Amino acid sequence: MSKNKINPSLFLDDEFEEVKLTPEKVICLGMEFESEDARRAYFREELRKKLPELKQVEGFPIGEDNDIINLSDPPYYTACPNPWLNDFIAEWEKEKEELEAQGKRKKNFEVKMPYASDVSEGKNNPIYMAHAYHTKVPHPAIMRYILHYTQPGDIVFDGFCGTGMTGVAAQICGSKKDVDALGEKKAKIGVRHAVCSDLSPIASLIAASYNLKFNPQEFERKANAILKQVEEELGWMYETEVNGKKAKINCTIWSDVFICPSCGKEINLWSESVDVKNSTIKDQFSCPHCGTYCSKKNIEKAWETIYDYALGKTITVNKKVPVRISYTCNGKRGEKDITKFDIDLLERINQLDTSDLSTLKLKEGYNTIQPIKSNGITHIHQFYTKRNFIYLSRVLELAQKDIHLIIWFTSVCQSTSKMNKFRFTGTGITTGTLYVPSINLEFPAGHTLSRKITSFLGTSYNTRNNTTIGLNSATNIPNLKTSSIDYIFTDPPFGANIMYSELSSIWEGWIKVSTNNRDEAIINATQSKTLFEYQTLMSRSLREYYRVLKPGKWLTMEFSNTSAAVWNSIQNAIQGVGFIIANVAALDKKQGSFKAVTTTTAVKQDLVITCYKPTDELMLKFDQSIDKSVNAMDFIEELLVHLPVHLEKDNSTTAVIERSPKILYDRLISYYVQHGYAIPMDAQEFQKGLRERFIERDGMFFTASQALEYEEKKKGTNGIIPMALFISSEAEGIEWLKRELETPQTYSEIQPEWMKAMSTTKKGDVLPELMTILEENFIKDEDGKWRKPDPEKAADLEIIRSRKMMKEFNMYLEQAQKPKTKRMKDTRLEVLRYGFKECYKQKDYKSIILVGDHIQEALLQEDEVLLQYYDIASTRV
């Protein structure tokens, strides 16, 4: 062994022997094993046999077989598609029968209405904080939904599980203390089982560490033993000298070196821009050599060529130098500038041969291009100082095959990297990026790992090991049988918000298993994925969700994107596979709570979308009907049954937007169009049918029993808060006028309030003048006052209005047919909606495509109705 090689001695077995307990027999999937180690060994070998078949499943990760198997803890967790999902489900279904016999669950459990209460949960829970990830939902928030939609023993699924918070929430529903803390009335305490999967190896591994069996005492002993050994071997790399005495380094500040644009000499950014005494960082400073006024905007980084032992070749990187150290000496903390002792130590470390330590090359992408171009970082190890890379590599070597130790290790992979930004008020990385700042902090890996032990001890809870976890694309889950899931909670990726696989590359570089991003549902130019590819992937994923969910059961999705086009693609995908949207709530980030929204296309806040899979009874009615229009009101009745009856806010009744005739009609048309049925009726016929079969209260429709319930609950409030309507489209303007003209008004009385309610329209949409809307939709009396038309007059007006709109649509069609026609700058959205619907009725799909290709792209993508018809037409031309 070369004198500069890292000592490869393995962790001594006898250090663990002292703390081992007598192994207990383990029962797993009906088989008995002498110990957990024996169970793990058996199923790892079984997993190895199944790998050739599993490699055909979408989303199979990139990595060597041994690395995938060693990372797995089968059958509970596999770092690839999990082949034992249905075996667990079969066991859990048998368990349900036992719980029913004990009176802990009902056989015919049914949830008719969505969870509609405000939700507010903080993010300082130990489980939430232990390991960083790109997005997370606090598990107590998910618990509220699971408690509402399920009963003990039910099976919950999340195909975009991230760090596994859905699984954690399902299991902690078995903790009386945690459930009581939520204050949810009628909550049934009891463990729910969970099936979790994700495309990302690091995400599924984190999920496994949070959900599987965990012995905190054993973890603490092993982690401390590893640190003790590595400190003995490598602790010398983090020593400094203070007044001739050895001291331990707490952190080291590193600074970029720049080149003066005038004299060409090097400038140490720290020395010239940072005022330690006054705790300030200057934006501009003078070159110490020539006095030229400089800022980071007009100077360039200095680059240097070094020998990279891990790669076995010379590389060019941006020049960084250590400038200051925080230390502890004889129990006292202090700070000092870098000295010759520190430079000599770093040079000694730089000469160590690390050719036997593994690394992974970065793939060029949206996020990875920044460190590649700005810093010369092409491989994972280059995100670290050499001593931190050596130290971390040794820790990982000793943590192998234990998922809890591996996750403890990966939890510090970001905070010990060069991405830690120096600030006088603290530190941290720039989330959502792989940005390496010009002045960064290097924390000793051992210190950070030691602090993290306490964090992971806080993730222990008694109801673990009721979740099974796999790794595959949500677009295809063949190992999960049809209609086997009782409830789905999911937080999928949303458009171009986050490039998950790229941002996970550092973690996955360490564990040697990385994301197969072919089926990653994102918008990413490097991957040649546009909104269309994103929508296609989400549709395929939601189709799988629909397949595995039992009829009549619910799906809750958190949506986080400010793009109307992305929201519409999600809404289109949800409805396109067969789900019925029952409720949309918004996450108020300022207040930290979920609140009802006034429109289903609101995208300025995070949304929680709740939908259900139609019951067998409804689907049977449609299957047996030759004329599908006769089922229209059956569909509406099932929808009304699944909508909130009464929402209370600040002791006032709040209108339920989903019960308005417009939204009900939109849901009906969407269902018929998505299923390829003929549109059953126009809006006027629909409203007539609504009034004949259901009861109207405060502009909302109810079944008879719901109307009684609504009236009774309304009595206990101070009155009703009407639907807040803003006018950003013609349809919203008509609804606004209907409410305003409950009492007839003159134009001069209406116009000022109309202007106050006006909002920005969608790009490409033309909002008609107020007078035009009044003339086309309302009646003017002899005294000059406008009022709502009676049903007979409304039908006549609708006929006249329809003719006008079709005439205008035909003008758009004629314009689109002209050679070399550019996109039409301004079009009337309601005319387009009407024209698309009429073309759909006539099966004139070519006209839909032709006009759709010639209107503003944003208008098409951001309007759910146009997009729905366009997507359907695209599949039938």
Side-chain angles (χ1 to χ4, degrees):
M1 181 179 69
S2 167
K3 124 176 166 178
N4 289 331
K5 289 260 188 182
I6 303 302
N7 186 346
S9 63
L10 299 176
F11 196 86
L12 299 176
D13 289 339
D14 59 359
E15 292 190 47
F16 287 132
E17 289 297 331
E18 298 174 8
V19 300
K20 278 187 176 178
L21 302 174
T22 304
E24 294 183 3
K25 290 188 182 297
V26 174
I27 305 295
C28 179
L29 292 180
M31 291 178 276
E32 185 177 295
F33 300 92
E34 290 298 319
S35 65
E36 288 287 2
D37 287 340
R39 181 268 306 167
R40 193 175 293 111
Y42 170 81
F43 279 106
R44 276 180 172 162
E45 192 55 38
E46 288 299 300
L47 180 61
R48 187 181 296 277
K49 296 175 187 176
K50 296 175 184 289
L51 282 184
E53 181 182 352
L54 294 174
K55 287 179 180 179
Q56 308 307 311
V57 178
E58 291 175 11
F60 192 92
I62 300 168
E64 299 296 324
D65 289 2
N66 284 340
D67 292 324
I68 290 169
I69 289 168
N70 290 337
L71 203 61
S72 303
D73 190 3
Y76 304 108
Y77 161 61
T78 58
C80 63
N82 191 327
W84 290 284
L85 299 183
N86 290 327
D87 298 294
F88 280 106
I89 287 173
E91 281 200 351
W92 295 338
E93 287 294 340
K94 289 180 182 177
E95 181 188 305
K96 288 180 181 180
E97 297 174 6
E98 297 173 13
L99 291 172
E100 287 166 12
Q102 297 169 15
K104 294 181 179 178
R105 57 176 283 128
K106 297 177 181 178
K107 189 172 183 63
N108 297 313
F109 178 73
E110 184 181 7
V111 178
K112 291 188 175 181
M113 288 185 292
Y115 183 86
S117 301
D118 289 353
V119 173
S120 178
E121 297 296 342
K123 298 181 179 180
N124 58 354
N125 189 287
I127 295 176
Y128 187 94
M129 299 296 293
H131 198 298
Y133 193 64
H134 321 302
T135 57
K136 278 186 277 188
V137 180
H139 72 268
I142 305 174
M143 284 175 67
R144 296 181 185 275
Y145 293 97
I146 292 176
L147 289 167
H148 177 81
Y149 291 109
T150 69
Q151 56 180 335
D154 272 353
I155 303 167
V156 180
F157 176 61
D158 187 352
F160 294 98
C161 75
T163 58
M165 292 297 107
T166 297
V168 172
Q171 295 174 119
I172 295 184
C173 284
S175 164
K176 186 177 187 305
K177 176 184 175 183
D178 289 278
V179 173
D180 288 348
L182 298 176
E184 293 290 338
K185 297 175 182 177
K186 300 179 181 179
K188 279 261 187 179
I189 298 168
V191 168
R192 279 71 166 168
H193 300 287
V195 176
C196 294
S197 65
D198 199 280
L199 188 67
S200 163
I202 187 62
S204 63
L205 183 63
I206 298 170
S209 75
Y210 281 154
N211 284 276
L212 302 190
K213 193 177 293 183
F214 177 55
N215 184 325
Q217 292 77 26
E218 183 181 359
F219 163 77
E220 184 177 21
R221 285 192 294 265
K222 286 184 176 181
N224 281 323
I226 288 173
L227 286 183
K228 180 175 180 292
Q229 178 169 337
V230 180
E231 273 299 311
E232 289 173 357
E233 295 173 3
L234 302 172
W236 60 269
M237 295 192 299
Y238 301 95
E239 291 178 348
T240 187
E241 189 175 80
V242 179
N243 298 325
K245 296 179 181 179
K246 281 188 176 181
K248 294 298 291 183
I249 294 175
N250 300 321
C251 73
T252 303
I253 300 174
W254 292 73
S255 171
D256 276 357
V257 177
F258 288 84
I259 301 295
C260 174
S262 180
C263 67
K265 293 184 178 180
E266 291 187 346
I267 301 173
N268 183 313
L269 184 65
W270 169 270
S271 302
E272 306 309 319
S273 69
V274 178
D275 183 344
V276 175
K277 184 177 179 181
N278 296 307
S279 299
T280 58
I281 301 177
K282 304 171 188 174
D283 292 327
Q284 296 179 323
F285 48 86
S286 299
C287 171
H289 310 292
C290 68
T292 298
Y293 220 41
C294 298
S295 73
K296 284 183 67 177
K297 293 180 180 179
N298 71 345
I299 56 176
E300 294 184 357
K301 290 181 179 181
W303 293 79
E304 62 179 347
T305 300
I306 62 171
Y307 185 79
D308 189 320
Y309 282 92
L311 300 181
K313 63 179 183 180
T314 56
I315 61 170
T316 301
V317 295
N318 78 298
K319 188 173 182 180
K320 271 187 177 289
V321 294
V323 292
R324 195 164 176 82
I325 286 175
S326 167
Y327 63 85
T328 297
C329 185
N330 295 329
K332 294 182 178 179
R333 294 176 68 94
E335 291 186 12
K336 71 183 187 78
D337 290 332
I338 291 292
T339 63
K340 184 177 184 301
F341 178 93
D342 304 310
I343 298 297
D344 290 344
L345 175 66
L346 290 169
E347 184 56 32
R348 178 186 168 194
I349 293 169
N350 284 336
Q351 296 306 311
L352 293 175
D353 184 357
T354 55
S355 59
D356 59 339
L357 301 183
S358 65
T359 187
L360 187 74
K361 186 176 181 178
L362 288 177
K363 294 179 181 178
E364 190 168 313
Y366 177 84
N367 289 123
T368 54
I369 196 64
Q370 192 276 330
I372 291 172
K373 286 190 172 181
S374 299
N375 308 94
I377 293 176
T378 59
H379 290 71
I380 298 303
H381 71 283
Q382 294 162 354
F383 278 100
Y384 301 87
T385 60
K386 189 161 185 177
R387 59 184 167 194
N388 265 2
F389 177 62
I390 292 171
Y391 196 105
L392 289 168
S393 297
R394 185 67 175 127
V395 171
L396 181 59
E397 180 185 2
L398 300 177
Q400 289 296 349
K401 298 186 180 183
D402 185 319
I403 63 169
H404 297 294
L405 291 174
I406 294 172
I407 282 301
W408 164 63
F409 164 84
T410 60
S411 71
V412 306
C413 286
Q414 288 187 331
S415 54
T416 55
S417 74
K418 295 176 183 177
M419 295 191 295
N420 253 318
K421 186 177 183 179
F422 167 79
R423 291 186 296 238
F424 282 110
T425 55
T427 185
I429 68 169
T430 304
T431 57
T433 71
L434 294 175
Y435 172 68
V436 176
S438 292
I439 300 176
N440 67 280
L441 290 174
E442 176 202 15
F443 290 104
H447 286 194
T448 310
L449 281 162
S450 180
R451 289 196 299 270
K452 273 291 183 179
I453 292 175
T454 302
S455 298
F456 276 90
L457 293 177
T459 68
S460 177
Y461 57 95
N462 295 330
T463 49
R464 279 172 171 256
N465 218 40
N466 285 286
T467 291
T468 182
I469 298 154
L471 188 160
N472 56 265
S473 172
T475 57
N476 184 26
I477 317 165
N479 298 325
L480 195 56
K481 67 181 183 180
T482 299
S483 299
S484 59
I485 300 298
D486 297 301
Y487 172 62
I488 297 174
F489 183 96
T490 194
D491 178 21
F494 291 102
N497 272 18
I498 298 171
M499 306 298 134
Y500 290 85
S501 59
E502 293 181 24
L503 294 173
S504 295
S505 56
I506 293 180
W507 290 315
E508 294 178 358
W510 283 104
I511 63 177
K512 302 179 186 177
V513 182
S514 56
T515 303
N516 180 344
N517 64 19
R518 185 185 64 181
D519 298 310
E520 185 178 20
I522 57 173
I523 298 173
N524 183 304
T526 307
Q527 295 182 26
S528 300
K529 289 176 182 172
T530 64
L531 179 62
F532 175 77
E533 282 75 28
Y534 168 75
Q535 182 177 342
T536 300
L537 288 165
M538 283 305 303
S539 293
R540 290 175 58 199
S541 300
L542 287 163
R543 188 168 288 110
E544 278 292 85
Y545 277 13
Y546 188 87
R547 179 183 68 81
V548 302
L549 188 64
K550 294 176 180 176
K553 299 297 184 179
W554 295 81
L555 176 148
T556 302
M557 177 189 291
E558 184 182 355
F559 171 86
S560 179
N561 193 294
T562 56
S563 165
V566 174
W567 158 236
N568 285 323
S569 71
I570 284 290
Q571 182 174 233
N572 216 30
I574 289 172
Q575 296 179 125
V577 302
F579 284 113
I580 312 298
I581 297 175
N583 183 252
V584 181
L587 171 60
D588 186 335
K589 291 182 178 179
K590 293 181 181 178
Q591 300 298 322
S593 63
F594 291 114
K595 295 183 178 180
V597 294
T598 58
T599 168
T600 53
T601 56
V603 293
K604 294 182 180 179
Q605 305 171 80
D606 286 4
L607 302 178
V608 176
I609 309 158
T610 303
C611 51
Y612 64 91
K613 182 175 179 177
T615 60
D616 283 334
E617 291 79 7
L618 180 65
M619 288 189 280
L620 185 61
K621 284 182 180 180
F622 274 96
D623 289 341
Q624 292 178 343
S625 299
I626 297 174
D627 180 5
K628 308 299 182 187
S629 64
V630 301
N631 303 122
M633 289 303 155
D634 294 325
F635 171 86
I636 293 298
E637 182 164 9
E638 180 163 297
L639 176 56
L640 290 176
V641 166
H642 285 82
L643 298 178
V645 171
H646 184 264
L647 295 178
E648 186 177 332
K649 185 68 179 176
D650 299 328
N651 201 34
S652 294
T653 294
T654 303
V656 181
I657 185 67
E658 284 83 5
R659 288 187 177 275
S660 68
K662 181 183 182 301
I663 298 300
L664 291 173
Y665 186 60
D666 285 349
R667 293 282 183 265
L668 176 72
I669 296 304
S670 177
Y671 185 82
Y672 272 71
V673 169
Q674 296 289 0
H675 285 77
Y677 304 149
I679 293 176
M681 59 189 71
D682 62 27
Q684 293 301 318
E685 292 172 320
F686 175 74
Q687 293 210 23
K688 182 181 177 183
L690 269 185
R691 290 183 171 85
E692 288 175 352
R693 186 156 170 178
F694 304 108
I695 297 172
E696 185 177 8
R697 293 287 185 271
D698 299 322
M700 300 175 286
F701 283 86
F702 301 86
T703 64
S705 60
Q706 287 178 332
L708 291 172
E709 181 184 347
Y710 174 76
E711 291 291 354
E712 191 62 32
K713 290 183 176 178
K714 184 181 172 184
K715 288 178 183 177
T717 66
N718 294 330
I720 183 167
I721 301 173
M723 299 175 194
L725 288 178
F726 293 95
I727 305 164
S728 60
S729 70
E730 185 175 346
E732 289 171 345
I734 293 170
E735 292 300 313
W736 184 90
L737 285 166
K738 283 180 181 178
R739 194 174 72 188
E740 288 293 311
L741 296 179
E742 289 290 345
T743 303
Q745 298 179 53
T746 63
Y747 177 87
S748 59
E749 290 172 328
I750 302 168
Q751 201 267 347
E753 298 303 317
W754 171 272
M755 296 305 295
K756 288 180 187 177
M758 285 283 287
S759 184
T760 306
T761 59
K762 294 177 180 178
K763 184 179 179 181
D765 181 23
V766 174
L767 182 66
E769 293 294 330
L770 170 59
M771 184 59 76
T772 301
I773 296 178
L774 286 169
E775 289 172 346
E776 290 185 356
N777 299 275
F778 299 90
I779 299 293
K780 186 178 182 182
D781 290 335
E782 293 178 359
D783 58 0
K785 290 187 175 181
W786 292 92
R787 62 175 175 82
K788 289 170 60 178
D790 56 48
E792 287 75 19
K793 284 289 180 82
D796 291 339
L797 284 173
E798 182 66 24
I799 292 170
I800 296 170
R801 182 170 182 264
S802 297
R803 287 173 181 166
K804 287 182 178 179
M805 285 199 290
M806 200 62 209
K807 183 178 180 181
E808 194 168 342
F809 179 79
N810 286 330
M811 290 170 59
Y812 297 155
L813 180 58
E814 187 179 329
Q815 188 173 343
Q817 289 170 335
K818 291 179 180 177
K820 299 181 181 180
T821 300
K822 295 181 179 179
R823 287 187 180 271
M824 290 175 265
K825 187 176 181 181
D826 295 313
T827 48
R828 189 172 160 188
L829 179 57
E830 284 304 300
V831 168
L832 292 169
R833 286 180 171 182
Y834 183 82
F836 277 24
K837 183 177 74 171
E838 290 303 305
C839 288
Y840 175 84
K841 283 181 179 180
Q842 303 300 322
K843 299 184 179 180
D844 181 8
Y845 306 121
K846 287 185 179 179
S847 292
I848 295 175
I849 298 297
L850 186 61
V851 175
D853 288 341
H854 284 84
I855 61 174
Q856 292 293 311
E857 188 174 4
L859 184 60
L860 177 65
Q861 294 291 348
E862 294 181 9
D863 185 78
E864 69 279 9
V865 176
L866 296 185
L867 187 61
Q868 174 181 263
Y869 285 118
Y870 185 86
D871 285 348
I872 293 292
S874 299
T875 65
R876 300 183 185 180
V877 172

mmCIF file of all heavy atoms in Angstrom, residues 12-28:
data_model
loop_
_atom_site.group_PDB
_atom_site.id
_atom_site.type_symbol
_atom_site.label_atom_id
_atom_site.label_comp_id
_atom_site.label_asym_id
_atom_site.label_seq_id
_atom_site.Cartn_x
_atom_site.Cartn_y
_atom_site.Cartn_z
ATOM 1 N N LEU A 12 -14.419 -2.871 12.822
ATOM 2 C CA LEU A 12 -14.235 -4.090 13.619
ATOM 3 C C LEU A 12 -15.568 -4.660 14.080
ATOM 4 O O LEU A 12 -16.369 -3.971 14.689
ATOM 5 C CB LEU A 12 -13.348 -3.783 14.831
ATOM 6 C CG LEU A 12 -11.931 -3.281 14.491
ATOM 7 C CD1 LEU A 12 -11.191 -2.917 15.755
ATOM 8 C CD2 LEU A 12 -11.161 -4.350 13.715
ATOM 9 N N ASP A 13 -15.783 -5.957 13.811
ATOM 10 C CA ASP A 13 -17.043 -6.595 14.168
ATOM 11 C C ASP A 13 -17.270 -6.619 15.672
ATOM 12 O O ASP A 13 -18.401 -6.491 16.139
ATOM 13 C CB ASP A 13 -17.088 -8.039 13.641
ATOM 14 C CG ASP A 13 -17.221 -8.063 12.126
ATOM 15 O OD1 ASP A 13 -17.673 -7.054 11.574
ATOM 16 O OD2 ASP A 13 -16.865 -9.097 11.531
ATOM 17 N N ASP A 14 -16.180 -6.768 16.449
ATOM 18 C CA ASP A 14 -16.396 -6.919 17.890
ATOM 19 C C ASP A 14 -16.924 -5.640 18.539
ATOM 20 O O ASP A 14 -17.472 -5.668 19.634
ATOM 21 C CB ASP A 14 -15.112 -7.377 18.588
ATOM 22 C CG ASP A 14 -13.946 -6.415 18.390
ATOM 23 O OD1 ASP A 14 -14.144 -5.391 17.686
ATOM 24 O OD2 ASP A 14 -12.876 -6.675 18.939
ATOM 25 N N GLU A 15 -16.790 -4.505 17.860
ATOM 26 C CA GLU A 15 -17.370 -3.273 18.413
ATOM 27 C C GLU A 15 -18.890 -3.356 18.409
ATOM 28 O O GLU A 15 -19.554 -2.745 19.223
ATOM 29 C CB GLU A 15 -16.904 -2.068 17.608
ATOM 30 C CG GLU A 15 -15.418 -1.788 17.775
ATOM 31 C CD GLU A 15 -15.034 -0.454 17.167
ATOM 32 O OE1 GLU A 15 -15.750 0.534 17.420
ATOM 33 O OE2 GLU A 15 -14.036 -0.393 16.448
ATOM 34 N N PHE A 16 -19.456 -4.069 17.462
ATOM 35 C CA PHE A 16 -20.903 -4.250 17.395
ATOM 36 C C PHE A 16 -21.367 -5.418 18.256
ATOM 37 O O PHE A 16 -22.465 -5.430 18.742
ATOM 38 C CB PHE A 16 -21.344 -4.493 15.949
ATOM 39 C CG PHE A 16 -21.288 -3.272 15.101
ATOM 40 C CD1 PHE A 16 -20.693 -3.313 13.845
ATOM 41 C CD2 PHE A 16 -21.802 -2.070 15.554
ATOM 42 C CE1 PHE A 16 -20.649 -2.174 13.064
ATOM 43 C CE2 PHE A 16 -21.754 -0.931 14.772
ATOM 44 C CZ PHE A 16 -21.173 -0.985 13.524
ATOM 45 N N GLU A 17 -20.490 -6.431 18.417
ATOM 46 C CA GLU A 17 -20.900 -7.627 19.148
ATOM 47 C C GLU A 17 -21.333 -7.275 20.568
ATOM 48 O O GLU A 17 -22.230 -7.881 21.131
ATOM 49 C CB GLU A 17 -19.753 -8.647 19.189
ATOM 50 C CG GLU A 17 -19.451 -9.311 17.860
ATOM 51 C CD GLU A 17 -20.613 -10.121 17.343
ATOM 52 O OE1 GLU A 17 -21.412 -10.631 18.150
ATOM 53 O OE2 GLU A 17 -20.739 -10.230 16.110
ATOM 54 N N GLU A 18 -20.683 -6.268 21.161
ATOM 55 C CA GLU A 18 -20.998 -5.902 22.535
ATOM 56 C C GLU A 18 -22.432 -5.412 22.695
ATOM 57 O O GLU A 18 -23.017 -5.538 23.745
ATOM 58 C CB GLU A 18 -20.048 -4.787 22.999
ATOM 59 C CG GLU A 18 -18.586 -5.214 23.005
ATOM 60 C CD GLU A 18 -17.678 -4.035 23.329
ATOM 61 O OE1 GLU A 18 -18.221 -2.969 23.682
ATOM 62 O OE2 GLU A 18 -16.461 -4.172 23.236
ATOM 63 N N VAL A 19 -23.015 -4.848 21.630
ATOM 64 C CA VAL A 19 -24.332 -4.243 21.757
ATOM 65 C C VAL A 19 -25.433 -5.077 21.109
ATOM 66 O O VAL A 19 -26.586 -4.712 21.151
ATOM 67 C CB VAL A 19 -24.333 -2.831 21.120
ATOM 68 C CG1 VAL A 19 -23.315 -1.957 21.808
ATOM 69 C CG2 VAL A 19 -24.027 -2.907 19.630
ATOM 70 N N LYS A 20 -25.063 -6.201 20.468
ATOM 71 C CA LYS A 20 -26.078 -7.012 19.810
ATOM 72 C C LYS A 20 -26.949 -7.730 20.825
ATOM 73 O O LYS A 20 -26.467 -8.254 21.815
ATOM 74 C CB LYS A 20 -25.427 -8.037 18.878
ATOM 75 C CG LYS A 20 -25.048 -7.460 17.526
ATOM 76 C CD LYS A 20 -24.562 -8.570 16.607
ATOM 77 C CE LYS A 20 -24.263 -8.022 15.225
ATOM 78 N NZ LYS A 20 -23.747 -9.074 14.336
ATOM 79 N N LEU A 21 -28.251 -7.753 20.581
ATOM 80 C CA LEU A 21 -29.186 -8.494 21.403
ATOM 81 C C LEU A 21 -29.408 -9.862 20.790
ATOM 82 O O LEU A 21 -29.054 -10.108 19.636
ATOM 83 C CB LEU A 21 -30.507 -7.726 21.492
ATOM 84 C CG LEU A 21 -30.411 -6.303 22.056
ATOM 85 C CD1 LEU A 21 -31.772 -5.629 21.930
ATOM 86 C CD2 LEU A 21 -29.936 -6.320 23.500
ATOM 87 N N THR A 22 -29.972 -10.770 21.566
ATOM 88 C CA THR A 22 -30.282 -12.084 21.025
ATOM 89 C C THR A 22 -31.293 -11.927 19.895
ATOM 90 O O THR A 22 -32.351 -11.337 20.088
ATOM 91 C CB THR A 22 -30.888 -12.984 22.121
ATOM 92 O OG1 THR A 22 -29.975 -13.044 23.212
ATOM 93 C CG2 THR A 22 -31.151 -14.384 21.581
ATOM 94 N N PRO A 23 -30.968 -12.432 18.691
ATOM 95 C CA PRO A 23 -31.877 -12.243 17.548
ATOM 96 C C PRO A 23 -33.240 -12.870 17.808
ATOM 97 O O PRO A 23 -33.338 -13.953 18.382
ATOM 98 C CB PRO A 23 -31.150 -12.959 16.397
ATOM 99 C CG PRO A 23 -29.722 -13.074 16.843
ATOM 100 C CD PRO A 23 -29.764 -13.188 18.325
ATOM 101 N N GLU A 24 -34.290 -12.151 17.421
ATOM 102 C CA GLU A 24 -35.648 -12.694 17.524
ATOM 103 C C GLU A 24 -36.073 -13.216 16.169
ATOM 104 O O GLU A 24 -35.674 -12.707 15.129
ATOM 105 C CB GLU A 24 -36.607 -11.590 17.986
ATOM 106 C CG GLU A 24 -36.338 -11.093 19.391
ATOM 107 C CD GLU A 24 -37.355 -10.048 19.819
ATOM 108 O OE1 GLU A 24 -38.277 -9.783 19.030
ATOM 109 O OE2 GLU A 24 -37.211 -9.501 20.920
ATOM 110 N N LYS A 25 -36.902 -14.270 16.195
ATOM 111 C CA LYS A 25 -37.409 -14.823 14.950
ATOM 112 C C LYS A 25 -38.260 -13.756 14.251
ATOM 113 O O LYS A 25 -38.952 -12.977 14.895
ATOM 114 C CB LYS A 25 -38.219 -16.081 15.204
ATOM 115 C CG LYS A 25 -37.365 -17.271 15.664
ATOM 116 C CD LYS A 25 -38.172 -18.535 15.707
ATOM 117 C CE LYS A 25 -37.337 -19.699 16.216
ATOM 118 N NZ LYS A 25 -36.204 -19.997 15.332
ATOM 119 N N VAL A 26 -38.195 -13.748 12.936
ATOM 120 C CA VAL A 26 -38.875 -12.740 12.133
ATOM 121 C C VAL A 26 -39.849 -13.433 11.185
ATOM 122 O O VAL A 26 -39.482 -14.399 10.505
ATOM 123 C CB VAL A 26 -37.853 -11.915 11.322
ATOM 124 C CG1 VAL A 26 -38.565 -10.963 10.374
ATOM 125 C CG2 VAL A 26 -36.913 -11.163 12.250
ATOM 126 N N ILE A 27 -41.090 -12.931 11.156
ATOM 127 C CA ILE A 27 -42.089 -13.412 10.201
ATOM 128 C C ILE A 27 -42.258 -12.358 9.130
ATOM 129 O O ILE A 27 -42.538 -11.198 9.425
ATOM 130 C CB ILE A 27 -43.449 -13.690 10.875
ATOM 131 C CG1 ILE A 27 -43.282 -14.671 12.044
ATOM 132 C CG2 ILE A 27 -44.450 -14.226 9.850
ATOM 133 C CD1 ILE A 27 -42.843 -16.052 11.621
ATOM 134 N N CYS A 28 -42.080 -12.761 7.878
ATOM 135 C CA CYS A 28 -42.210 -11.806 6.772
ATOM 136 C C CYS A 28 -42.888 -12.506 5.604
ATOM 137 O O CYS A 28 -42.393 -13.527 5.099
ATOM 138 C CB CYS A 28 -40.833 -11.289 6.362
ATOM 139 S SG CYS A 28 -40.880 -10.123 4.992
#
